[in-house]
Amino acid sequence: MHQPLIDLQHISKSFDGTMVLDDLSLTVKENSFVTLLGPSGCGKTTTLRIIGGFESPDTGSVIFDGQEITHLPPNKRQLNTVFQKYALFTHMTIADNIAFGLKIKNKPKSYIQDKIKYALKLVNLDGYENRSVDSLSGGQQQRIAIARAIVNEPRLLLLDEPLGALDLKLRQDMQYELIRLKNELGITFIYVTHDQEEALTMSDTIVVMNQGYIQQMGSPESIYNEPENAFVADFIGDSNIVPGIMLRDELVEIFGAKFACVDKGFGTNRPVDVVIRPEDIDLVAPGQGALSGIVTHLIFKGVHYEMEVTTPDGFEWLVHSTDLFPVGRQVDIHVDPFDIQIMNKPASEDEEAMGVNE
Amino acid sequence: MSKKLLSGPYVLWMIGFTIIPLALILYYGLTDRSGAFTLANIMAIATAEHAKALWLSLGLSLASTICCLLLAYPLAMVLRAKGVGAGSFIVFIFILPMWMNFLLRTLAWQTLLEKSGVINGFLALLHLPPQNMINTPAAIILGMVYNFLPFMVLPIYNVLSKIDDNTINAATDLGASSLQTFWHILLPLSVPGIISGINMVFVPALTTFVISNLLGGSKILLIGNVIEQEFTKGSNWHLGSGLSLVLMIFILISMALIAKYDKNGEGNAF
Ligand SMILES: Nc1ncnc2c1ncn2[C@@H]1O[C@H](COP(=O)(O)OP(=O)(O)OP(=O)(O)O)[C@@H](O)[C@H]1O
Ligand SMILES: [Mg+2]
């Protein structure tokens, strides 16, 4: 097996006595697209800054391609960063911005010229060489920031919420641009976002973070379909998280009703958390499902209807369905066994932050 | 209509305190005592005494502007690095002496530098020979730098503090050393602050007569002193105004030069 391109080993970092990263370990394989995803303040930028060399960890080490770079200054690292607010050099033309890294490295003039042309073409901004930074739109500035980074042929590109300031349409366009760029260039991407949809669309590995801990790491599908704890389930997409009791293998009791599931190994009569995605709930006629309730809310969402079904225990189930059930209708809830995801209950707050992993 | 009304006080102020005085100086400068038109007051700058004063003024102002710039830039960098809280406290400390009267501050330097002043007294205690410090060009430069330094620091600090940390990080990220980052990023980005600092130091330094009076004695005459004496002791308002006009031309020329450099300086990092 290849050795990882980036290997973060037991990184801890605190600011003014507040722990921001706590014993974080993470490996990133060459040529992968890894996304750090988590709520504001969970330490995504700090992680990226430690990899980029702008911050040094209190403990732990950063290994790049087998070499320890923990205390190497940023200008000596074989990687480049695309900053959240672009951080272009406003006193230079677009061409000079892109050429900056190459000029610092004393590359020949003709090489630099070729590179500028190539990079501008790559980001679909041919002919913008002599424009000033201020004359570009946000999306264009972002693309220049990317061009400025990739002309240096880094092995690793760090992107800190590069699309955060763009509107929805532009953001979606840029997502595809970035995926295309990544595939064309074969550079490893570490990407930071707090937008779960963006993470699901773009990455081949998602690292869900909360309060300085990694909650879960895996492919977008596994993160979405098999969240390991309530935080991940709640953060990625909409979900119903309900308390349940694991009666035995493959049988869980929710609000007094028994549901067949596919999970095993939780023991018997063990309290657990159960995650059910809104689109996995089937509403059926009364008497045909495991739990009965009443539709209390209905919104048309375009592709589907979003409904709330309240069961006698007072829980409001979020349901997505293309079939309409009007408010006030008596319905039963049915869930297929493989759509039920069982998770251990966290024993304490601390454990909740760390994420409970079996 | 209401806009016009609102601008009324400013227009009055401008007329009363800028336009009319300027017109008066122009009138006095271009006439003799009998009221007849003459260029003699302007040409008077060519006399050896006046020309010497003008060159000396230009030289000393230039020297003190350069001293201010060399002192102010690193100081502004330190302020920037300190971050908002500590930064503004240091700025406050820095501005504090400016609350003291300008004359008092300069007089304080006089008592320090005098032949029998504080510094020489201290030297005598250490059995060192007294130094001749007062009434030298160096004393005047010291006075100018001391009084005008904040006017250089503040505009430079102002532009530096507006430069995003990530702009600097981006330069290091692209491989630049700290020196290269300073040369290619910080310095070009702070040109507007440097320009306005130079303006705010050079112009008052060129026209001052108080500092040279107090720290230069009667031996060293700057053009400001010459003009002042024509108005007060010599009672020749015509000659005083004529020389003021010449000085004004020099100020305009220097401002034009600076403005031109500013335009050329933009966008030429490499
Ligand atoms: N230089 C610093 N000094 C003090 N505290 C800091 C510093 N940098 C980050 N922090 C703190 O560390 C925590 C994590 O910050 P970080 O920027 O890594 O969050 P983030 O996950 O990138 O959040 P966001 O999504 O809002 O960008 C925050 O509580 C922040 O206030
Ligand atoms: Mg951040």
Side-chain angles (χ1 to χ4, degrees), chain A residues 41 43-46 84 160-161 192:
Chain A
K44 306 181 296 288
T45 298
T46 306
Q84 182 163 6
D160 192 357
E161 304 201 30
V192 161

Coordinates of all heavy atoms in Angstrom, one line a residue, chain A residues 41 43-46 84 160-161 192, ligand 2:
Chain A
G41 N -16.6 26.8 14.2 CA -15.8 26.7 15.5 C -15.3 25.4 15.9 O -14.7 25.2 17.0
G43 N -12.9 23.6 14.6 CA -11.5 23.4 14.4 C -11.0 23.1 13.0 O -9.9 22.7 12.8
K44 N -11.9 23.3 12.0 CA -11.5 22.9 10.6 C -10.4 23.8 10.1 O -9.4 23.3 9.6 CB -12.8 23.1 9.7 CG -14.0 22.4 10.1 CD -15.1 22.6 9.2 CE -15.6 24.0 9.1 NZ -16.4 24.5 10.3
T45 N -10.6 25.1 10.3 CA -9.5 26.1 9.8 C -8.2 25.8 10.5 O -7.2 25.8 9.9 CB -10.0 27.5 10.0 OG1 -11.2 27.7 9.2 CG2 -8.9 28.5 9.5
T46 N -8.3 25.6 11.8 CA -7.1 25.3 12.6 C -6.4 24.1 12.1 O -5.2 24.1 11.9 CB -7.5 25.2 14.1 OG1 -8.3 26.3 14.5 CG2 -6.3 25.1 15.0
Q84 N -10.0 31.5 2.4 CA -11.5 31.7 2.3 C -11.9 33.0 1.6 O -12.8 33.0 0.8 CB -12.0 31.7 3.8 CG -13.5 31.9 3.8 CD -14.1 31.5 5.1 OE1 -13.4 31.2 6.1 NE2 -15.4 31.5 5.2
D160 N -10.0 26.4 2.1 CA -10.7 26.8 3.2 C -12.0 27.4 2.8 O -12.0 28.6 2.5 CB -9.9 27.6 4.2 CG -10.6 27.8 5.5 OD1 -11.7 27.2 5.7 OD2 -10.0 28.4 6.4
E161 N -13.1 26.7 2.8 CA -14.4 27.3 2.4 C -14.3 28.2 1.2 O -14.7 29.3 1.3 CB -15.1 28.0 3.6 CG -15.2 27.1 4.8 CD -16.2 27.6 5.8 OE1 -17.2 28.2 5.3 OE2 -16.1 27.4 7.0
V192 N -12.3 22.4 3.1 CA -13.1 22.6 4.4 C -14.4 23.3 4.0 O -14.5 24.2 3.2 CB -12.3 23.6 5.3 CG1 -13.2 24.3 6.3 CG2 -11.1 22.9 6.0
Ligands
MG2 MG -12.9 28.4 9.4

